Amino acid sequence: MGTQMENARKGIVTAEVHEAALYENMDSAALAQLVACGRAAIPANKAHRSLKPRAVGRTLKTKINVNLGTSRDFLDIPGEMKKVHEAIRLGADAIMDLSSWGDTAAFRRELIAHSPAMIGTVPAYDAPVRLKKPLKDITAREWIDTVRVHAMDGVDFQTIHCGITRDRMARIQNRERLTGIVSRGGSLIFAWMAMTGEENPFYEHFDEILDICAEHEVTLSLGDACRPGCIEDSSDAAQIEELILLADLTRRSHQRGVQVIIEGPGHMALDEIEANMKLQQRLCADVPFYVLGPLVTDSAPGYDHITAAIGGTVAAAAGAAFLCYVTPAEHLRLPTLEDMKEGIIASKIAAHAADIAKGIPGAREHDRKMSEARKNLDWETMFSLAIDGEKPRRMREESPPEHEDSCSMCGSMCAVRNINTILAGGEVHVHN
Amino acid sequence: MGTQMENARKGIVTAEVHEAALYENMDSAALAQLVACGRAAIPANKAHRSLKPRAVGRTLKTKINVNLGTSRDFLDIPGEMKKVHEAIRLGADAIMDLSSWGDTAAFRRELIAHSPAMIGTVPAYDAPVRLKKPLKDITAREWIDTVRVHAMDGVDFQTIHCGITRDRMARIQNRERLTGIVSRGGSLIFAWMAMTGEENPFYEHFDEILDICAEHEVTLSLGDACRPGCIEDSSDAAQIEELILLADLTRRSHQRGVQVIIEGPGHMALDEIEANMKLQQRLCADVPFYVLGPLVTDSAPGYDHITAAIGGTVAAAAGAAFLCYVTPAEHLRLPTLEDMKEGIIASKIAAHAADIAKGIPGAREHDRKMSEARKNLDWETMFSLAIDGEKPRRMREESPPEHEDSCSMCGSMCAVRNINTILAGGEVHVHN
């Protein structure tokens, strides 16, 4: 009963590898090889019984993650579970539970009991809430115990902010970057280190974390505390130094048979994205890269699902395996259900567009079917193949067309309709 | 009194070049050089008195165009003029009047009288409406006369579908492509050619069109009838053959001193965009490329402002000079005022993100100011610098934060607030 990685190295095709390979439409032995060398990860905690296992990796279908969780403003567990079901219905591959208020354990356990999607958490958020203590009074032991509690609850992957160490604090303290640390978990650990004078507990006790992960089959999502928070800070020394440290920790994890995902930017100009993906692949043994964005401009609050979809498509086409969704509420407020929906759809667009560009089997074929339906003015098939079928149906119904088959945009000048008519030997009439 | 191009070749800095250079924050003699060789175009009809001239070109700020116009469903001229004012307020650099119903001349003249933005039209749409005749009864002379009428009215640029000729009809007739022709104007000309057996009038009488353009200072926007209408059809023989013909017509236009813009895709997988931009630049003497999208997937009706923003950012970063906006209503219905707004903002995001990537002066600096405001939790400055300040203000007001300075997303865990506190020597408290 080794870890997924250990089994894969022995050539064993586990049930998780088998199911994940089916979903990818690929040979399960080939997927096991990717898992063996860490180029794919299958986050699948032994205690997560409701899980439908999925693999994350550069050469596989791009996956998307949705952030949820209880908070000061949304403490209602049944209400939050409604969001969970909606996220799953819309196609979330993973859900990160970022709960920061109330009985976080109760919500986490409820979530794991019911979610077929992978579940991720961030122990750094939960520790102060779970322990009900001032941040600076939390002990190193308690940070690590939080990782253990989440592992025992069945969390499939945990974001561990182990890349910001004492000897790397100076770049932030000397204000080398415009926006310092914008990672929530990273900022909590940084503040704790500054207030206590101690080393980063997740770095110092990394071997113990690996033992926990190996025992419960938790995939490590190595967090980027120095994720760039603005266009100005991207690809800077703080970010790249941290990536190098995460590469070292990846090696240690793989030696222990623990699967790894690495988290990445952030805000980043479009022209830097490809280089960043390549650098991560080379430094970090091509382990799955999990990006938040990248947001290609700082200047579009209210529309960061769009800035993230732009960067996310380019990132995923260049090899990012996993996209964390970004909603229109980013930088502004806790997302509403509607914000969540818009964020999921924008992420799914990015993932699918990248899969077309990467040549993932089935992606182009899907669009071909959609365009055949479009050519045939077959609206029902279009709605059924659409990434979101509800909105286009509503929009069309709100503006009934002049001709049943076309739409109100072009009316009798509809190019599709007119070319179909001409090719069928008919005559085109423009109403005027 | 030569054309803009002729004057630029003589080293004359016209008032239009002067004003456009000021807007770009560049030397006017340098802009005149770009105009002289066609690498920048300044669409500025002599009769468009209200115009604030702007230059379009690969090395300049990326410009955006908004489509508007009267139609069967929106015949109300004052109502449509409201849209015009809103488009200009939101930052449209150009407006294309695609009117297809009623007294199109009255609306066009009203628009030109009041618009500081460049005005473009598509004579192929207007001819059947203006002449109130069946499509097949329109004569070659009448198509050309429509170009003349628009030129006399003060239109700054006209889309001329001159690239689909009789000897190129076979690829469409033989159904070599999945979606044939999806260009509305292209499909009308194709249908007319098929029904009448005549050659494309815009191609056959191209010299006469050049005379009209030279006389009135109209920039030719060479239309792409074979714009790919789906991922399956992009970069195919029909598209590239047409681009080559447009390159030949570009040379003829430049010889006559007429400015040219070339129109481009369309639907296109992300990984083909850069190659298409490079090909256009090399084939067509680096004249401004005006793209509709590209939409990076066919499968997101209702969200094509997002699929177009993804492709548009990549296209503009690779050299496209001019983005035609795409609204969420694309493929579904005539856009409402709200659809128009969303389309404009998505295009502005794409243009700005591309300008950052291209290194256009001022673009990164804008984001730096935004992020300084973000670091300082200075919300008023953020709203004033945002591409759209209204939506983020409304979103924040709807979810009042726990702390005046942060937002409801992270509350007391706000990374920006906590890092500011620690760097100022304070203590971070997480409410729990």
Side-chain angles (χ1 to χ4, degrees):
Chain A
M1 271 294 283
T3 64
Q4 285 292 347
M5 228 179 165
E6 288 163 350
N7 284 320
R9 284 173 187 156
K10 289 179 204 152
I12 298 169
V13 170
T14 61
E16 291 77 14
V17 168
H18 180 75
E19 189 170 342
L22 270 182
Y23 178 76
E24 300 294 330
N25 229 332
M26 75 186 284
D27 178 60
S28 52
L31 180 57
Q33 283 184 353
L34 293 178
V35 171
C37 62
R39 290 175 61 202
I42 303 181
N45 189 304
K46 292 174 186 171
H48 187 180
R49 310 272 175 208
S50 59
L51 178 71
K52 290 190 183 165
R54 294 286 179 262
V56 181
R58 181 174 58 82
T59 57
L60 309 175
K61 289 180 192 170
T62 304
K63 307 298 185 299
I64 68 161
N65 172 73
V66 171
N67 293 331
L68 288 169
T70 61
S71 64
R72 194 168 169 274
D73 296 321
F74 294 88
L75 190 45
D76 170 41
I77 291 185
E80 205 60 21
M81 282 304 295
K82 251 189 218 163
K83 275 197 197 167
V84 170
H85 295 302
E86 181 68 0
I88 289 165
R89 187 182 74 79
L90 290 170
D93 300 294
I95 292 173
M96 287 196 79
D97 170 18
L98 307 187
S99 291
S100 64
W101 201 263
D103 187 353
T104 54
F107 178 68
R108 186 168 57 245
R109 287 163 196 165
E110 176 87 358
L111 176 61
I112 291 165
H114 293 99
S115 172
M118 308 177 246
I119 301 299
T121 56
V122 187
Y125 297 179
D126 189 33
V129 184
R130 179 177 88 84
L131 300 163
K132 299 192 196 310
K133 293 185 142 181
L135 181 64
K136 70 171 182 217
D137 296 342
I138 296 174
T139 64
R141 170 77 9 237
E142 288 168 332
W143 289 113
I144 305 304
D145 282 344
T146 305
V147 175
R148 194 186 315 272
V149 167
H150 286 210
M152 292 173 69
D153 281 345
V155 168
D156 302 300
F157 63 101
Q158 294 189 34
T159 297
I160 303 290
H161 292 91
C162 45
I164 177 79
T165 52
R166 289 210 69 80
D167 59 347
R168 286 145 199 266
M169 292 175 77
R171 291 199 192 277
I172 307 301
Q173 281 158 338
N174 298 341
R175 298 168 199 261
E176 279 186 26
R177 353 173 75 189
L178 177 53
T179 52
I181 290 178
V182 299
S183 150
R184 195 163 22 157
S187 75
L188 293 174
I189 294 300
F190 184 89
W192 183 87
M193 289 161 72
M195 290 190 293
T196 62
E198 291 188 46
E199 180 55 284
N200 183 331
F202 298 122
Y203 177 75
E204 196 163 45
H205 303 281
F206 193 69
D207 284 328
E208 188 175 346
I209 291 174
L210 290 180
D211 289 339
I212 296 168
C213 291
E215 183 183 347
H216 298 276
E217 190 56 48
V218 173
T219 297
L220 273 179
S221 193
L222 300 179
D224 56 334
C226 296
R227 175 171 76 235
C230 61
I231 294 295
E232 194 62 22
D233 290 346
S234 66
S235 311
D236 73 345
Q239 182 203 323
I240 305 302
E241 270 184 358
E242 183 177 35
L243 184 65
I244 292 170
L245 178 55
L246 298 183
D248 292 335
L249 296 173
T250 297
R251 250 188 308 276
R252 283 170 61 186
S253 307
H254 283 178
Q255 281 163 5
R256 185 67 182 81
V258 170
Q259 301 186 99
V260 172
I261 287 168
I262 289 190
E263 298 187 14
H267 292 236
M268 180 168 281
L270 185 84
D271 60 309
E272 295 171 28
I273 295 174
E274 201 180 333
N276 268 266
M277 300 304 114
K278 191 56 80 179
L279 190 62
Q280 183 271 347
Q281 289 155 28
R282 294 290 296 143
L283 281 172
C284 308
D286 205 8
V287 297
F289 206 13
Y290 175 27
V291 293
L292 177 61
L295 313 190
V296 292
T297 168
D298 308 335
S299 299
Y303 302 88
D304 278 324
H305 59 312
I306 298 180
T307 65
I310 297 168
T313 309
V314 172
F322 197 15
L323 302 179
C324 184
Y325 94 149
V326 174
T327 80
E330 186 73 20
H331 299 111
L332 293 170
R333 71 174 182 202
L334 209 65
T336 62
L337 182 69
E338 198 45 48
D339 292 333
M340 180 192 83
K341 241 180 116 164
E342 285 193 62
I344 292 174
I345 292 160
S347 286
K348 287 190 70 179
I349 289 171
H352 180 64
D355 286 351
I356 293 171
K358 283 207 273 194
I360 298 293
R364 286 187 78 96
E365 290 74 7
H366 182 96
D367 275 33
R368 193 187 160 88
K369 279 184 206 146
M370 169 61 92
S371 290
E372 277 167 359
R374 186 165 279 148
K375 183 178 75 167
N376 297 330
L377 296 160
D378 171 358
W379 295 90
E380 281 307 317
T381 302
M382 281 189 255
F383 297 148
S384 75
L385 291 170
I387 287 176
D388 170 31
E390 293 162 20
K391 186 181 174 191
R393 183 188 295 277
R394 193 177 63 242
M395 289 176 81
R396 186 170 146 82
E397 284 171 0
E398 282 169 10
S399 299
E402 178 187 356
H403 302 278
E404 188 52 39
D405 53 355
S406 67
C407 81
S408 67
M409 189 168 203
C410 304
S412 68
M413 287 196 188
C414 174
V416 173
R417 190 169 169 271
N418 290 342
I419 291 295
N420 288 350
T421 303
I422 285 288
L423 294 189
E427 276 200 3
V428 165
H429 299 281
V430 175
H431 298 191
N432 41 27
Chain B
M1 271 295 283
T3 66
Q4 285 293 346
M5 229 179 163
E6 288 163 348
N7 283 319
R9 284 171 187 157
K10 289 179 204 153
I12 297 169
V13 171
T14 61
E16 290 78 13
V17 168
H18 180 74
E19 189 170 343
L22 269 182
Y23 179 74
E24 299 293 330
N25 227 334
M26 74 187 284
D27 178 61
S28 51
L31 180 57
Q33 283 185 352
L34 294 177
V35 171
C37 61
R39 292 176 58 202
I42 303 180
N45 189 304
K46 291 174 187 169
H48 187 182
R49 308 273 176 210
S50 60
L51 178 71
K52 288 189 184 168
R54 294 285 179 263
V56 180
R58 181 174 58 81
T59 56
L60 309 175
K61 289 181 193 169
T62 304
K63 307 298 187 296
I64 68 161
N65 173 72
V66 171
N67 293 333
L68 288 169
T70 61
S71 63
R72 195 170 169 274
D73 296 321
F74 294 87
L75 190 46
D76 168 40
I77 291 186
E80 206 59 21
M81 282 303 295
K82 254 190 216 163
K83 276 198 196 166
V84 170
H85 294 303
E86 182 67 359
I88 290 166
R89 187 182 73 80
L90 290 170
D93 299 295
I95 292 173
M96 288 197 79
D97 171 18
L98 307 187
S99 291
S100 63
W101 201 262
D103 187 352
T104 54
F107 179 69
R108 186 168 58 246
R109 287 163 195 165
E110 175 86 358
L111 177 61
I112 292 166
H114 293 100
S115 172
M118 308 176 245
I119 300 300
T121 57
V122 187
Y125 297 179
D126 189 34
V129 185
R130 178 178 87 85
L131 299 163
K132 300 194 195 309
K133 302 185 136 178
L135 182 63
K136 68 171 183 221
D137 296 342
I138 296 175
T139 63
R141 169 79 8 238
E142 288 169 330
W143 289 112
I144 306 304
D145 282 344
T146 306
V147 176
R148 192 188 316 273
V149 166
H150 287 208
M152 291 173 70
D153 282 346
V155 169
D156 302 299
F157 63 102
Q158 294 189 35
T159 296
I160 303 291
H161 293 90
C162 45
I164 178 78
T165 53
R166 288 210 71 79
D167 58 347
R168 286 145 198 265
M169 291 176 79
R171 291 197 191 277
I172 307 300
Q173 281 156 339
N174 298 341
R175 299 170 199 259
E176 281 187 26
R177 358 172 72 190
L178 176 53
T179 52
I181 290 179
V182 298
S183 150
R184 194 164 18 158
S187 74
L188 293 174
I189 293 299
F190 184 90
W192 182 87
M193 289 160 72
M195 292 189 292
T196 62
E198 291 189 45
E199 180 56 285
N200 183 330
F202 298 123
Y203 177 75
E204 196 163 44
H205 303 282
F206 193 68
D207 285 328
E208 187 174 349
I209 291 175
L210 290 180
D211 290 339
I212 296 168
C213 291
E215 181 183 349
H216 298 277
E217 189 57 48
V218 172
T219 297
L220 273 179
S221 192
L222 300 179
D224 54 335
C226 296
R227 177 171 74 235
C230 61
I231 294 295
E232 195 62 21
D233 289 345
S234 65
S235 311
D236 74 344
Q239 181 202 324
I240 306 299
E241 272 184 355
E242 183 178 36
L243 183 65
I244 292 170
L245 179 55
L246 298 185
D248 292 335
L249 296 174
T250 297
R251 251 186 309 276
R252 284 171 59 187
S253 305
H254 283 177
Q255 281 162 5
R256 185 65 181 84
V258 170
Q259 302 186 98
V260 172
I261 287 169
I262 289 190
E263 298 187 12
H267 292 236
M268 178 166 285
L270 186 83
D271 60 310
E272 295 172 27
I273 295 174
E274 200 178 334
N276 268 266
M277 298 305 115
K278 189 59 78 180
L279 190 62
Q280 183 271 346
Q281 289 155 28
R282 294 289 296 144
L283 281 172
C284 308
D286 204 8
V287 296
F289 204 13
Y290 175 27
V291 293
L292 179 59
L295 313 189
V296 292
T297 169
D298 307 335
S299 298
Y303 302 88
D304 279 323
H305 60 311
I306 297 180
T307 65
I310 296 168
T313 308
V314 172
F322 197 14
L323 302 178
C324 185
Y325 94 148
V326 174
T327 80
E330 187 73 20
H331 300 110
L332 293 170
R333 71 173 182 204
L334 208 66
T336 62
L337 182 68
E338 197 47 47
D339 294 333
M340 180 192 83
K341 238 179 118 164
E342 285 193 60
I344 292 175
I345 292 161
S347 287
K348 286 190 69 178
I349 289 171
H352 180 63
D355 286 350
I356 292 171
K358 283 207 274 193
I360 297 293
R364 284 187 78 97
E365 290 73 8
H366 183 95
D367 275 32
R368 192 186 161 91
K369 279 184 206 147
M370 169 62 92
S371 290
E372 277 167 358
R374 187 165 278 149
K375 184 178 77 166
N376 297 328
L377 296 159
D378 172 357
W379 295 90
E380 280 307 317
T381 302
M382 282 188 255
F383 297 149
S384 75
L385 290 169
I387 286 175
D388 171 29
E390 292 161 21
K391 186 180 174 192
R393 183 189 295 278
R394 192 177 64 241
M395 290 177 80
R396 186 170 147 81
E397 284 170 0
E398 282 169 10
S399 301
E402 179 188 357
H403 302 278
E404 188 51 40
D405 52 356
S406 66
C407 82
S408 67
M409 188 167 205
C410 303
S412 69
M413 286 196 188
C414 172
V416 173
R417 192 169 166 270
N418 290 340
I419 291 293
N420 288 350
T421 302
I422 285 288
L423 294 188
E427 276 199 3
V428 165
H429 299 281
V430 176
H431 297 191
N432 41 28

